[in-house]
Amino acid sequence: MMTILSGMALLLLTLGLFSLFSMKFPKGSEAMSGMANAAVASFLVEAVHKYITGDLLGIQFLAEVGATSGSLAGVAAGIMVPLAMGVNPVFALVGGLACGGYGILPGFIAGYLIGLIAPWIEKHLPTGLDVILGALTVAPLARLIAFAVDPAVNSVLNLIGSTISAAADQSPLVMGFLLGGLMKMICTSPLSSMALTAMLGLTGLPMGIASIACFGGSFTNGMVFHKMKYGDRSNVIAVMMEPLTQAHIITKHPIPIFASNFFGGGFAGLAAAALGIVNNAPGTASPIPGMIAPFGFNPPGKVVLALALGAVGGLIAGYVGGHFFSWLAKKRSIAF
């Protein structure tokens, strides 16, 4: 029990810091969006092409594509984060390339600081020389930042990730429900579950739970949108494919959506834990990546069953949640 409590406490602490950064730091939300895009560009490509089309189907060329993409996660973060913050693309590229050999989180930190510093450098350099001198300044600076933060960052996040993994191994069903529910709420919020799982470096059963939870919980979102009449059919489809596309609706109706999401993700995570679904591609906690990535690490039949059970659990949670909150809105005249 203590392992479960410590694992969830560390995860909630990380989530709190993650939320604080996203909402309060300069351009924190943009930086997190860049981090999520970097996870897609690296870890999703790795999961599909290295483990599925490569190892599973035996296409060596695609296996090399996936392995190469996965090894450049730090570079991807170092480029995408400052780009999302509006930095000159040349500076973003120079800083990201200098992060070669480092993981996604050191790349993220270096990219974020470059995103704050680069505009100042560009402003104070002579016109005509700003790109050249800026590039020669940004590259060693980004490398120095990544080098400086790498040991401490990796040790802290490895501790958090290993604690969550230990809790999942000791009590898989309990952690399946709790971790699945929490991850689906994060997936639906303006925060990024892809970025969070990439930062933590989650693999194995915890990442499998997060993946199936994000997939199964998408059916919860669709059902709640349908039952509560949030938008039209296109909004229902869009929230199931990618919740962030409907952030303008979600932020207006958080209680029915997030409450239902916790149970939808929890039921889906419970199915993943019961079947022992593993996923060694961190950063793939999103409806579509979460559906695809587990095929690279588990028997296909087991993954299909987990996805089906996750979808059923998500639909049940969405139906009950949507029915309850619509009834409550009529009975108590409460606007949800």
Side-chain angles (χ1 to χ4, degrees):
M1 180 58 70
M2 286 303 299
T3 306
I4 296 174
L5 292 176
S6 60
M8 293 305 297
L10 286 171
L11 181 58
L12 290 171
L13 176 62
T14 305
L15 178 59
L17 295 174
F18 189 32
S19 303
L20 181 66
F21 175 85
S22 182
M23 293 185 292
K24 300 298 183 181
F25 277 55
K27 296 190 176 181
S29 179
E30 291 86 348
M32 286 301 172
S33 176
M35 173 77 156
N37 290 334
V40 172
S42 55
F43 293 135
L44 177 60
V45 173
E46 179 186 37
V48 173
H49 285 314
K50 180 181 178 182
Y51 299 110
I52 299 177
T53 56
D55 293 350
L56 190 61
L57 300 182
I59 304 175
Q60 184 59 32
F61 170 74
L62 293 179
E64 293 175 0
V65 169
T68 302
S69 298
S71 69
L72 294 173
V75 172
I79 295 172
M80 292 304 302
V81 169
L83 275 181
M85 296 170 68
V87 167
N88 184 321
V90 174
F91 291 166
L93 187 61
V94 166
L97 291 175
C99 294
Y102 288 99
I104 193 167
L105 189 55
F108 165 77
I109 295 173
Y112 177 69
L113 293 178
I114 292 300
L116 297 177
I117 295 169
W120 185 88
I121 294 176
E122 188 175 20
K123 180 180 178 180
H124 289 85
L125 288 176
T127 303
L129 294 176
D130 51 350
V131 173
I132 296 174
L133 294 178
L136 294 175
T137 303
V138 165
L141 184 58
R143 185 78 180 182
L144 180 63
I145 294 169
F147 170 79
V149 303
D150 185 61
V153 160
N154 286 340
S155 62
V156 171
L157 293 182
N158 286 340
L159 173 63
I160 298 172
S162 62
T163 303
I164 294 172
S165 298
D169 290 338
Q170 290 184 17
S171 304
L173 296 182
V174 175
M175 283 299 290
F177 182 77
L178 295 177
L179 183 60
L182 187 59
M183 279 297 175
K184 185 55 196 176
M185 291 176 68
I186 298 169
C187 179
T188 304
S189 75
L191 302 174
S192 171
S193 54
M194 296 184 70
L196 178 62
T197 53
M199 288 168 65
L200 293 176
L202 286 187
T203 55
L205 181 59
M207 192 64 233
I209 291 169
S211 300
I212 301 299
C214 288
F215 169 79
S218 67
F219 291 87
T220 306
N221 281 333
M223 182 60 73
V224 170
F225 267 53
H226 171 70
K227 295 287 290 182
M228 300 295 291
K229 296 181 171 54
Y230 297 152
D232 54 23
R233 183 176 297 180
S234 64
N235 297 106
V236 173
I237 295 172
V239 78
M240 292 180 68
M241 298 286 287
E242 177 46 65
L244 294 183
T245 63
Q246 303 303 303
H248 59 293
I249 296 178
I250 292 169
T251 52
K252 290 180 180 178
H253 310 283
I255 295 176
I257 293 173
F258 288 121
S260 302
N261 258 254
F262 179 78
F263 288 97
F267 293 152
L270 197 60
L275 292 169
I277 299 297
V278 298
N279 179 1
N280 291 324
T284 52
S286 188
I288 295 177
M291 176 183 67
I292 297 172
F295 282 100
F297 311 97
N298 307 271
K302 182 186 287 188
V303 176
V304 170
L305 179 58
L307 293 173
L309 292 174
V312 170
L315 285 170
I316 292 173
Y319 179 84
V320 173
H323 182 77
F324 172 75
F325 284 106
S326 61
W327 171 82
L328 194 61
K330 294 176 182 177
K331 185 76 172 178
R332 304 292 185 182
S333 298
I334 302 173
F336 286 110

